[in-house]
Amino acid sequence: MEVKNNIILALDLMDIIKSFELVESISKYINTIKIGYPLTLAEGLKSVTVFKENFEFNTICDYKVADIPATNEKIADLTFKAGADSIIVHGFVGKDSVAASCDVALEYGKEIFLLTEMSHPGAIQFLKGKGEKIAEMGLELGINNYVAPSTHLDRLSSIRSVLGKDKFIISPGVGTQGGNPNDTLKYADALIIGRSIYNAENPEIAIKEIIKEITV
Ligand code: C5P
C-alpha cells in the first residue's frame, strides 16, 4: 500500500458531514483513511461506502475484529461489502479467528491488518510481550500488513525485527498519545494520526506541520 506523506487519517469523528468536510479540507495531503467504531456506530456502514465512492482513497476499517471464527467471517464480509480495502483484526484471539478474517479478505481480493499490540498505557497490562508471538502467527498465515504502537518504540522495533523489512507496519499513537513521527517511521511504514489533525483549529495547517516535521 502506498500511503501519501506516510499519514493515515484516523477519522474518529462521529458525524459524517463533519468527517466529509474534514477529509475534503486535507484531501490533497492524504490518500488513506481509517474508519473505526466512532463513525461507523454513529452513521452506519454507509460511512465506509460514502468515502469509498467520493474519494480515491485506501479505506482501512478499524473494527479490531476479535471474535470466534464464524462471527469474524460475518464482520469481515459486511465490511468488505461496504467498500473497505482492508480491515484491522486483533491477533490475541488466535490463529483460527484470524484465519477466518483472512479467508474472507481473500474472497474479496482484499487484505487484513493484524493488530499486534495496542498503543495506550493500559496495553502493557495484559498484552505486553505478546506482540512478537502474534507477529509470528501473522507470518505463518501469510499476512503482509500489521499494526504496532508508536508509543512503545521498544515494542514496535521488536515487532519489526520479527516481521522483517518487507512487511507493512502502520503505527498509531503519534501526536496526542505522545508518539513521535520520525522515531516511529524508523520502524513503521506509515503513521495513523487522528486527534492531532481533526481536533486542530485548522486541520490543514496541522497536517502540513506534521508533514514538515517528517524528515525520514
Ligand atoms: O487520535 P489518535 O491519533 O490518538 O488516534 C489513534 C487511532 O488509532 C484511533 O483511531 C485509535 O482507535 C487507533 N488505534 C490506536 N492504538 C492501536 C490500534 C488502533 O490508537 N493499537
Side-chain angles (χ1 to χ4, degrees):
M1 184 184 281
E2 276 294 317
V3 175
K4 190 169 180 180
N5 286 317
N6 301 110
I7 295 174
I8 298 167
L9 175 68
L11 195 50
D12 292 330
L13 297 174
M14 291 179 284
D15 178 300
I16 200 153
I17 305 288
K18 288 199 177 102
S19 303
F20 206 89
E21 286 168 359
L22 168 73
V23 170
E24 268 186 326
S25 76
I26 58 167
S27 64
K28 60 177 172 222
Y29 306 101
I30 56 170
N31 71 353
T32 309
I33 56 171
K34 181 179 84 64
I35 293 177
Y37 286 121
L39 184 59
T40 309
L41 292 178
E43 300 280 8
L45 267 174
K46 72 170 190 291
S47 46
V48 177
T49 316
V50 161
F51 281 100
K52 201 59 215 168
E53 285 173 353
N54 287 280
F55 298 91
E56 283 181 14
F57 286 170
N58 305 309
T59 303
I60 302 171
C61 280
D62 185 0
Y63 298 150
K64 296 189 177 65
V65 184
D67 217 309
I68 59 168
T71 306
N72 277 8
E73 270 172 33
K74 290 174 187 155
I75 297 167
D77 188 58
L78 287 165
T79 306
F80 288 123
K81 207 171 270 160
D85 296 297
S86 48
I87 186 169
I88 296 178
V89 173
H90 255 304
F92 74 83
V93 281
K95 200 168 181 178
D96 53 350
S97 285
V98 175
S101 303
C102 291
D103 290 346
V104 176
L106 202 64
E107 280 169 31
Y108 281 86
K110 309 281 185 180
E111 289 190 281
I112 75 154
F113 277 85
L114 186 64
L115 178 44
T116 56
E117 274 186 33
M118 299 285 292
S119 57
H120 62 304
I124 58 173
Q125 196 171 0
F126 298 115
L127 289 179
K128 187 168 179 182
K130 298 288 187 289
E132 290 86 348
K133 288 269 169 228
I134 291 173
E136 281 168 17
M137 177 186 73
L139 293 175
E140 280 169 33
L141 288 168
I143 294 169
N144 292 317
N145 307 302
Y146 295 83
V147 186
S150 73
T151 43
H152 308 283
L153 280 181
D154 56 329
R155 308 298 307 130
L156 174 60
S157 105
S158 179
I159 289 163
R160 168 59 82 191
S161 306
V162 171
L163 292 173
K165 65 176 177 25
D166 293 335
K167 297 299 175 193
F168 196 77
I169 303 182
I170 61 175
S171 189
V174 167
T176 311
Q177 295 185 57
N180 170 281
N182 289 309
D183 291 344
T184 303
L185 287 171
K186 285 181 198 150
Y187 310 107
D189 300 286
L191 314 169
I192 297 170
I193 306 179
R195 286 166 292 176
S196 304
I197 297 171
Y198 67 72
N199 279 345
E201 209 165 299
N202 184 325
E204 184 175 6
I205 293 175
I207 195 166
K208 279 165 76 175
E209 290 290 318
I210 299 167
I211 293 167
K212 222 190 305 166
E213 205 186 325
I214 296 174
T215 53
V216 287

